[in-house]
Amino acid sequence: GTICFISHDRHFINRIAGKILVADKGTVHVFPGNYQDYQSIWKKRLDVSSPSQDGNDLKQGMTESIEAPSRKAQNQKRLEAQWRNELYRLKAPLQERITRLESLAEEAQRQLQDLGDRLADPKTYQEGSLAQELQLEYHRCQERIRQLTEQWEDASLALEELERDFWKDKDPVPGQVNNGPVSERHSGVVAGC
């Protein structure tokens, strides 16, 4: 099936989209790939060409690129697919760690809630030693959540850094260096399919 969505979340678009639709001044342009592909390939190609004042050359260049990709474009797509696969392999361990930390933190939150409920029960305080044990366990659980949250933040930052740094040395258009996402230069809406 097909899902069409509109989002400002680039990470979401990159993970889900197989095509990018750009609506600009009443015209819809279709770009194969995800948002990062759209930015790194198509926008750089468009920047290399000098569009006319009314933008017709720009639109014609995009249509031609989509309808009749050259051997060079096909090789570029193949290279970019290899890069995406490499990035996926590099990201996988960090994503697994993040998922594991999230599960552990959720379990610790459930334990903390259970301990809090038990501490709120007046029957707990009928035995003095039980209340003290539960309070110690409650504080240990709070500390565990703090540590898991810190580890999750570190892993998430490492993942973001990996994604950002991975593309720095990639050269989507010969003679141009990819320094990260190209800023938006059109007033259109970006949607993914």
Side-chain angles (χ1 to χ4, degrees):
T2 300
I3 298 173
C4 288
F5 57 89
I6 297 174
S7 177
H8 294 284
D9 185 342
R10 292 177 184 173
H11 296 289
F12 175 75
I13 295 173
N14 278 331
R15 288 182 180 212
I16 304 297
K19 290 181 188 175
I20 300 293
L21 305 173
V22 178
D24 188 23
K25 298 176 186 165
T27 306
V28 175
H29 306 283
V30 179
F31 294 91
N34 62 20
Y35 188 76
Q36 195 161 14
D37 295 332
Y38 162 72
Q39 284 188 318
S40 65
I41 300 168
W42 299 107
K43 290 192 105 184
K44 287 187 184 250
R45 284 187 187 165
L46 298 176
D47 290 345
V48 170
S49 68
S50 57
S52 66
Q53 201 167 11
D54 64 359
N56 286 335
D57 293 345
L58 181 65
K59 292 174 187 172
Q60 183 179 5
M62 285 193 293
T63 305
E64 290 173 2
S65 294
I66 293 169
E67 291 176 359
S70 67
R71 180 178 287 292
K72 189 174 181 181
Q74 290 172 344
N75 289 338
Q76 186 67 32
K77 283 183 182 182
R78 190 174 301 117
L79 178 62
E80 289 165 2
Q82 289 172 348
W83 287 341
R84 283 191 305 273
N85 289 337
E86 180 184 349
L87 180 59
Y88 176 81
R89 283 190 299 274
L90 292 171
K91 287 173 34 176
L94 280 172
Q95 288 172 326
E96 288 172 13
R97 178 171 170 73
I98 289 169
T99 300
R100 192 177 91 259
L101 288 167
E102 287 171 348
S103 295
L104 291 171
E106 287 173 11
E107 177 59 33
Q109 285 287 356
R110 283 190 291 273
Q111 283 180 322
L112 188 68
Q113 180 64 42
D114 181 53
L115 289 166
D117 291 345
R118 290 174 66 191
L119 284 168
D121 185 0
K123 294 178 186 174
T124 301
Y125 297 95
Q126 291 174 355
E127 296 179 40
S129 62
L130 177 60
Q132 285 180 331
E133 288 176 28
L134 289 175
Q135 286 177 340
L136 286 174
E137 186 62 30
Y138 187 86
H139 291 297
R140 282 192 289 257
C141 195
Q142 284 180 318
E143 178 60 21
R144 174 87 172 128
I145 291 169
R146 188 196 63 73
Q147 290 173 353
L148 289 168
T149 302
E150 187 176 298
Q151 291 173 20
W152 179 87
E153 288 171 350
D154 291 345
S156 294
L157 288 173
L159 180 62
E160 287 178 18
E161 187 175 310
L162 171 68
E163 289 174 335
R164 183 186 64 242
D165 292 346
F166 180 83
W167 294 105
K168 282 186 179 177
D169 64 341
K170 305 303 185 246
D171 191 11
V173 177
Q176 291 186 2
V177 177
N178 184 2
N179 288 323
V182 177
S183 62
E184 291 295 322
R185 292 189 189 98
H186 61 83
S187 60
V189 174
V190 178
C193 292

